[in-house]
DNA sequence: TTGTACGCGTTATCAG
DNA sequence: CTGATAACGCGTACAA
């Protein structure tokens, strides 16, 4: 038995003769190592788990891809779990990963920052930590100092700043903002960038030009209808997500609005579809794939000397064709 | 120990008193069941593994989502592995799943049907079968009778037939076909549907109107350039994938072709982006998510009486706005 | 270089 | 209902 183990793992020298005999037996018997037994005995190829809302969301998929790549490069498997937006399900998943002794559990996607969120997430962090797993928050509100968790964020505010500055530089002054739902860290960051850009260009902030909603296409469609009905003065829109921008473009065009001449639009996320629509959507590029890779790297390398446990990745504007100078009214 | 096990699993009655004491200890000690040990001892919550080329492909993601949903509904975890198109990597992944004693290993995505493919895949099937795992082929060429594998396909040919018939009914006669690469089962099926539709409408088949390529956007762009340069007589295109259609639309529009007046287009797959472009793309809907769910269901229920091991799901045309009557030349 | 014996954490079995 | 004990399959000290 021990010799077989040594042949399979290559951990210790085995004579050529023995090795050959073992390999032949392995072949004859269709012998396969049992990963569970191996994990149990300590020499684990622990997996990396990623928990997200829905695999089909392009940004989630991009993060998942980064995670998968980096994990594979380090010889680990990736477990993907979808919560479909249910916090109960999230809890169950984290628990499941806990039992699996995952090396890292990566939580992806915006979350409402609340007392409840912080308490619940801190509990995840501590219980995972107690079995050697690392909790990674990807694009989520960070926890307080001292909680054993790694945070990978991106610069929501500066991305929004760049996007809105771009509109302002083109000459727009009445810019509708659709930053996303209240209390979400991403939405608040994007709104802050919007306000800061207005300020930097000496344009007053008008709360009436902020419409709340989520990041779905339906939300963009709804905003478009309000825009058409209530805000004839608006010449440009800063959308909190590409989905919102796409929904808005669709409804606006149906209503006969010519794009981008009559209405300029910038999105957020730079999903693949942004380059496929007409006009191609100018949007804020978020390095989702890199976030996934970074999450795995930080979680797995946290024993080195300068172990980082918080990273903020940069965002930048991807200029395409959905912004033009404002048309004289 | 035994009592703890009974409390945790609820497998046998335990007195209220004992149960309370166990639960308190569990809480005190942050005790978590070890899944690997549980698997080892026999009572396994075996996982379901899905092997695909790339998570960010919308159709792959849809299948993955179906798999994930159905697996979760049956209390099992999903393991996702990407091969990035490397057959070596695929082999490694299947092997890994084998070691994990996955309940099912689901291979997704088109593959070239060759002797090599059949031999390799049959080997997968048999070795997985020997440890009780089931190999499922999703949208891949089926193997011969007697190989222990489950096949979930969709009706490539009839989808193509419907799409091309739609173009013919609109009055088009010179229809360019971009069915996909040679020897791929999906591409051959789509091409067969194209030919059958022409025949049904009494239109001759012209091999010059078939351009080979893969299912990428770049391939669509390239085809568009050839179309513009070499085939002024063509009034409609049957694209083998939505990506191809999107690339084609993009280049055609850049060249000043008005869509759909001057050029009608139908795609294949019905990815989310198909509903977001302008004009909205008429395309063949493929039930990707349902394929994923079906794959899991068949793999896990194969012990019942009428155990199916081959299913062909239907496809249908999703009519949107990218087809118009041919413009007089 | 090879073989023996133990422990990893759980469940099933069997005796109480 | 409860507790002790034997698997499950592997890696690994330790002894040979």
């Amino acid at each position: 038995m021990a010799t077989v183990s040594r042949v399979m793992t290559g951990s210790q020298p085995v004579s050529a003769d023995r090795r050959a005999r073992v390999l032949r037996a392995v072949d004859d018997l269709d012998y396969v190592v049992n990963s569970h037994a191996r994990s149990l005995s300590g020499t684990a190829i622990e997996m990396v788990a990623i928990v997200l809302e829905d695999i089909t969301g392009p940004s989630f998929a991009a993060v998942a891809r980064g995670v998968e790549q980096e994990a594979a490069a380090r010889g680990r498997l990736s477990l993907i779990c979808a919560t479909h937006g249910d916090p109960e399900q999230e809890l169950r998943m984290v628990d499941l990963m806990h039992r699996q002794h995952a090396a890292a559990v990566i939580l992806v996607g915006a979350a409402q920052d609340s007392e409840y969120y912080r308490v619940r997430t801190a509990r995840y962090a501590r219980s995972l930590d107690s079995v050697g797993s690392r909790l990674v928050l990807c694009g989520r509100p960070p926890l307080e100092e001292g909680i054993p968790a790694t945070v990978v964020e991106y610069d929501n505010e500066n991305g929004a700043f760049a996007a809105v500055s771009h509109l302002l530089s083109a000459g727009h002054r009445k810019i509708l903002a659709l930053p996303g739902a209240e209390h979400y860290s991403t939405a608040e960051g994007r709104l802050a960038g919007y306000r800061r850009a207005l300020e930097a260009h000496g344009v007053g902030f008008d709360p009436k030009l902020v419409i709340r909603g989520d990041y779905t296409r339906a939300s963009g469609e709804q905003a478009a209808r309000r825009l058409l009905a209530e805000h004839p003065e608006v010449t440009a829109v800063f959308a909190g997500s590409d989905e919102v921008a796409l929904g808005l473009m669709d409804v606006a065009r149906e209503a006969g609005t010519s794009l981008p001449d009559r209405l300029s639009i910038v999105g957020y996320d730079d999903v693949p579809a942004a380059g496929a629509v007409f006009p191609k959507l100018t949007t804020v590029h978020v390095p989702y794939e890199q976030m996934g890779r970074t999450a795995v790297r930080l979680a797995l390398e946290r024993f080195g000397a300068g172990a980082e446990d918080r990273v903020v990745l940069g965002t930048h504007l991807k200029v395409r064709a959905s912004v033009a100078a404002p048309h004289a009214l």
Side-chain angles (χ1 to χ4, degrees), chain A residues 272-294:
Chain A
V277 291
F278 180 79
K280 292 186 180 174
L281 185 62
T282 291
T283 185
V284 177
H285 178 78
V286 179
Y288 285 115
E289 194 172 318
Q290 194 191 343
M291 286 176 72
R293 284 200 302 268
T294 306

Side-chain angles (χ1 to χ4, degrees), chain A residues 86-197:
Chain A
D86 179 6
E88 268 320 296
Q89 183 74 355
E90 180 179 289
L91 177 60
R92 251 196 309 275
M93 288 307 171
V94 172
D95 223 57
L96 228 42
M97 297 310 108
H98 193 174
R99 292 205 268 276
Q100 291 278 341
H101 286 212
V105 176
I106 303 171
L107 260 40
V108 184
Q112 230 174 1
D113 193 3
S114 64
E115 186 62 22
Y116 174 59
Y117 164 80
R118 280 191 295 270
V119 169
R120 190 164 55 101
T121 312
R123 185 154 42 219
Y124 291 166
R126 272 192 275 260
S127 68
L128 287 169
D129 187 62
S130 71
V131 294
S133 296
R134 185 70 175 183
L135 179 71
V136 184
L137 268 24
C138 242
R140 288 209 164 188
L143 304 174
E144 27 179 315
E145 213 49 38
I147 305 286
T150 297
V151 175
V152 179
E153 296 175 287
Y154 55 94
D155 196 339
N156 271 297
E157 182 172 339
N158 276 318
F161 180 83
V164 178
S165 294
H166 181 65
L167 291 171
L168 288 161
S169 301
H172 295 278
R173 286 299 173 268
K174 295 293 185 181
I175 303 174
L176 184 70
L178 309 170
E182 277 174 298
H183 305 303
Y184 278 80
S185 54
T186 52
E188 298 310 329
R190 290 168 199 192
L191 181 58
Y194 168 81
R195 297 190 63 155
R196 193 153 60 76

Side-chain angles (χ1 to χ4, degrees), chain A residues 4-324:
Chain A
V4 173
S5 173
R6 289 190 272 257
V7 170
M8 298 307 280
T9 60
S11 58
Q12 284 178 51
V14 175
S15 71
D17 172 45
R18 287 275 180 219
R19 154 170 291 117
R21 283 169 58 195
V22 167
L23 289 176
R24 190 154 50 76
V26 163
D27 204 54
D28 278 358
L29 303 169
D30 280 325
Y31 169 79
V32 204
V33 174
N34 182 324
S35 299
H36 300 295
R38 183 175 277 183
S39 294
L40 194 57
S41 90
T43 324
I45 320 173
E46 297 163 315
M47 3 195 145
V48 170
I50 173 168
V51 180
L52 35 68
E53 207 176 298
D54 178 12
I55 314 175
T56 55
S59 4
F60 292 140
V63 177
R65 176 170 130 141
V67 167
E68 197 276 332
Q69 278 184 0
E70 187 71 25
R74 293 163 182 270
R76 315 179 102 110
L77 285 171
S78 327
L79 211 45
I80 301 201
C81 313
T83 62
H84 304 289
D86 179 6
E88 268 320 296
Q89 183 74 355
E90 180 179 289
L91 177 60
R92 251 196 309 275
M93 288 307 171
V94 172
D95 223 57
L96 228 42
M97 297 310 108
H98 193 174
R99 292 205 268 276
Q100 291 278 341
H101 286 212
V105 176
I106 303 171
L107 260 40
V108 184
Q112 230 174 1
D113 193 3
S114 64
E115 186 62 22
Y116 174 59
Y117 164 80
R118 280 191 295 270
V119 169
R120 190 164 55 101
T121 312
R123 185 154 42 219
Y124 291 166
R126 272 192 275 260
S127 68
L128 287 169
D129 187 62
S130 71
V131 294
S133 296
R134 185 70 175 183
L135 179 71
V136 184
L137 268 24
C138 242
R140 288 209 164 188
L143 304 174
E144 27 179 315
E145 213 49 38
I147 305 286
T150 297
V151 175
V152 179
E153 296 175 287
Y154 55 94
D155 196 339
N156 271 297
E157 182 172 339
N158 276 318
F161 180 83
V164 178
S165 294
H166 181 65
L167 291 171
L168 288 161
S169 301
H172 295 278
R173 286 299 173 268
K174 295 293 185 181
I175 303 174
L176 184 70
L178 309 170
E182 277 174 298
H183 305 303
Y184 278 80
S185 54
T186 52
E188 298 310 329
R190 290 168 199 192
L191 181 58
Y194 168 81
R195 297 190 63 155
R196 193 153 60 76
L198 291 183
E199 205 170 322
H201 282 72
V203 176
F205 170 71
D206 178 359
K208 283 203 202 64
L209 290 184
V210 176
I211 300 181
R212 291 295 186 160
D214 55 27
Y215 288 144
T216 63
R217 182 173 306 206
S219 175
E221 292 168 355
Q222 197 181 334
R225 284 187 283 269
R226 280 192 57 184
L227 168 65
L228 294 166
E230 304 170 17
H231 296 287
E233 79 281 15
V234 164
T235 61
V237 179
F238 165 57
S241 83
D242 287 349
E243 282 297 307
V244 168
L246 261 33
L248 184 119
M249 285 170 73
D250 200 24
V251 169
R253 182 174 10 240
E254 294 279 314
T257 309
S258 85
L259 304 174
D261 299 328
R262 176 60 190 79
L263 191 66
S264 289
I265 298 170
V266 293
Y268 214 112
D269 287 345
D270 195 17
V271 301
V277 291
F278 180 79
K280 292 186 180 174
L281 185 62
T282 291
T283 185
V284 177
H285 178 78
V286 179
Y288 285 115
E289 194 172 318
Q290 194 191 343
M291 286 176 72
R293 284 200 302 268
T294 306
V296 174
R297 191 169 54 74
L298 293 189
L300 264 38
E301 283 179 353
R302 82 198 131 102
F303 303 108
E308 297 170 283
D309 62 358
R310 172 119 186 239
V311 165
V312 180
L313 299 176
T315 48
H316 64 264
L317 191 66
K318 189 108 187 178
V319 177
R320 295 209 179 87
S322 63
V323 174

